């Protein structure tokens, strides 16, 4: 029993000694930190620039004497008029001076404006005269990886006149650009986007190629009179198609032909059997509808880009005929007449067109969530290279990562130029360039 009591006493004594030692170490460490904070120190501890966001992290590298933001800012960010907040350690009062040229020095004060377009030199001086210099810069992406790089890759002489209606379509490995002008009805075909071969299209009347759609090898279209016509991809000779007699042809979806007929949207088989009918929203004007289809997840949807006041709405129909407004007019997506609508890399896009004031546009609006929301993506606008344009033909080639614009209307008349666009981001990839043979 005596041995047991002695053992317990020893354990309590050792525990007490451990607690005292730990407490003394903590007190000593706390005192040490406090002493360090009060010791004159010329080092800069933290930099915050409110104008570019408090979440922008600046690295203070005391070894290399550099101050810079960890992640580069978006291409095009202006950094020529910034007011950094610079902090030292603890209660140290630092005197800060900076220079652009190494000769003329400017005293730093709270909210002083700095031009950080190029790196500057910052000198920090502690109360005891110790001094440290840093190279300070705000890093901005020099290359707009989110932008399209536009190039003129040729012309198509035979589309040099104003086109009344047109439609771009890819069939197997061939791009087909159907055009109806005042003098001819034709289709331009190409496998590489550079060399285009014109083939005649035979039809009983002028065709409204904006309604053109295909199911397998067959293509369907309406004429100016509203009559329906059909042809085969091998011949492009249109003849009367009487299986459907009424309504405006929108697109093909789920191997059915979709038509607006009065107050309903109807889906027909190619032999004219009505498969579904859905009420067409009464508040929409069918005259302003620009229909298109696009992949959405594992299926395809039919989309309606339609005018609502001065803005646009995006409606979608699924293969069962259900129709729903995805983006309403309050989202401020503008309605642009003769806008060029496209889809690429799981995104929907609207580019160019003519605004409510009759002004041609070069802006690009993108949706990366199947049309639910849209943003003006200035990275991908047409820029000074292409300029303003409307109603151009468009192709997107997923295997080449390329978008082609053909012809179109400009403020100076019809265009016959072929423009190519690729994302600059993929142009930086060696594997992509190798796949193209550079």
């Amino acid at each position: 029993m005596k041995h047991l009591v002695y053992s317990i006493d020893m354990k309590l004594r050792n525990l007490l000694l451990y607690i005292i030692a730990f407490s003394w170490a903590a007190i000593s460490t706390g005192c040490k930190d406090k002493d360090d904070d009060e010791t004159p120190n010329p080092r800069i501890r933290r930099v915050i620039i409110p104008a570019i966001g408090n979440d922008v992290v600046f690295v203070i590298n005391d070894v290399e004497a550099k101050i810079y933001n960890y992640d580069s800012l978006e291409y095009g960010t202006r950094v020529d008029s910034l007011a950094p907040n610079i902090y030292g350690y603890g209660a140290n009062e630092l005197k800060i001076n900076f220079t652009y040229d190494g000769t003329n020095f400017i005293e730093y004060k709270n909210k002083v404006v700095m031009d950080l377009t190029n790196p500057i030199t910052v000198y920090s001086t502690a109360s005891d005269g110790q001094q440290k210099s840093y190279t300070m810069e705000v890093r901005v992406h020099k290359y707009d990886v989110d932008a399209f790089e536009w190039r003129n890759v040729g012309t198509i002489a035979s589309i040099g006149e104003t086109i009344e209606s047109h439609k771009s379509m890819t069939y197997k490995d061939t791009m087909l650009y159907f055009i109806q002008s005042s003098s001819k009805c034709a289709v331009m075909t190409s496998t590489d986007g550079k060399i285009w071969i014109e083939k005649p299209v035979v039809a009983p009347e002028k065709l409204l190629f904006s309604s053109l759609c295909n199911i397998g090898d067959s293509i369907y279209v309406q004429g100016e009179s509203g009559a329906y016509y059909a042809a085969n991809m091998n011949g492009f000779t249109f003849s009367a198609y009487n299986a459907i007699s009424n309504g405006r042809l929108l697109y093909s979806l789920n191997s059915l032909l979709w038509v607006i007929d009065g107050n309903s949207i109807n889906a027909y088989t190619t032999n004219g059997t009505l498969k579904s009918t859905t009420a067409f929203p009464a508040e929409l004007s069918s005259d302003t509808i620009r229909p298109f289809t696009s992949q959405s997840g594992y299926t395809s949807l039919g989309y309606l880009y339609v005018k609502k006041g001065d803005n646009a709405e995006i409606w979608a129909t699924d293969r069962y005929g259900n129709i729903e407004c995805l983006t309403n007019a309050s989202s401020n997506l503008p309605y642009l007449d003769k806008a060029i609508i496209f889809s690429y890399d799981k995104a929907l896009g609207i580019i160019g067109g003519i605004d409510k004031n009759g002004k041609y546009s070069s802006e690009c609006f993108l949706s990366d969530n199947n049309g639910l929301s849209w943003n003006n993506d200035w990275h991908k606008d047409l820029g000074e290279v292409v300029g303003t344009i409307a109603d151009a033909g468009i192709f997107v080639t997923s295997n080449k990562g390329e978008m082609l614009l053909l012809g179109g209307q400009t403020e100076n008349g019809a265009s016959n130029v072929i423009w190519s666009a690729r994302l600059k981001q993929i142009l930086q990839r060696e594997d992509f360039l190798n796949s193209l043979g550079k």
Side-chain angles (χ1 to χ4, degrees), residues 16 25 45 56 59 66 103 115 141 152 155 161 163 166 186 204 250 259 292 351 364 381 394 419:
L16 182 60
R45 178 173 63 92
V56 177
V59 174
K66 292 181 178 180
T103 302
D115 181 354
H141 280 296
N152 181 341
T155 59
E161 59 181 303
I163 295 172
H166 64 93
L250 292 176
V259 174
F292 63 102
I351 196 166
C364 179
D381 65 16
I394 190 164
W419 295 101

Side-chain angles (χ1 to χ4, degrees), residues 61 93 238 242 275 380:
N61 186 331
E93 292 291 333
F238 285 91
N242 298 318
K275 296 295 289 185
K380 297 179 180 66

Side-chain angles (χ1 to χ4, degrees), residues 153-171:
V153 293
T155 59
I156 304 180
S158 53
I159 62 170
E161 59 181 303
T162 299
I163 295 172
E164 297 176 3
S165 68
H166 64 93
K167 186 65 173 281
S168 309
M169 183 180 295
T170 301
Y171 176 68

Side-chain angles (χ1 to χ4, degrees), residues 154-218:
T155 59
I156 304 180
S158 53
I159 62 170
E161 59 181 303
T162 299
I163 295 172
E164 297 176 3
S165 68
H166 64 93
K167 186 65 173 281
S168 309
M169 183 180 295
T170 301
Y171 176 68
K172 295 182 178 178
D173 295 325
T174 302
M175 290 178 281
L176 302 102
Y177 183 48
F178 292 86
I179 61 169
Q180 174 71 68
S181 68
S182 58
S183 63
K184 67 181 175 184
C185 186
V187 58
M188 311 294 169
T189 66
S190 177
T191 56
D192 62 5
K194 298 176 182 177
I195 299 174
W196 293 80
I197 300 172
E198 180 179 333
K199 297 181 180 180
V201 172
V202 180
E205 63 171 311
K206 282 189 175 182
L207 299 180
L208 301 176
F209 276 125
S210 58
S211 66
L212 184 72
C213 57
N214 76 296
I215 297 177
D217 295 333
S218 299

Side-chain angles (χ1 to χ4, degrees), residues 366-388:
L366 282 182
S367 171
D368 59 6
N369 53 14
N370 302 313
L372 293 173
S373 61
W374 295 76
N375 294 297
N376 181 198
D377 190 339
W378 61 270
H379 298 276
K380 297 179 180 66
D381 65 16
L382 299 173
E384 295 180 358
V385 178
V386 180
T388 55

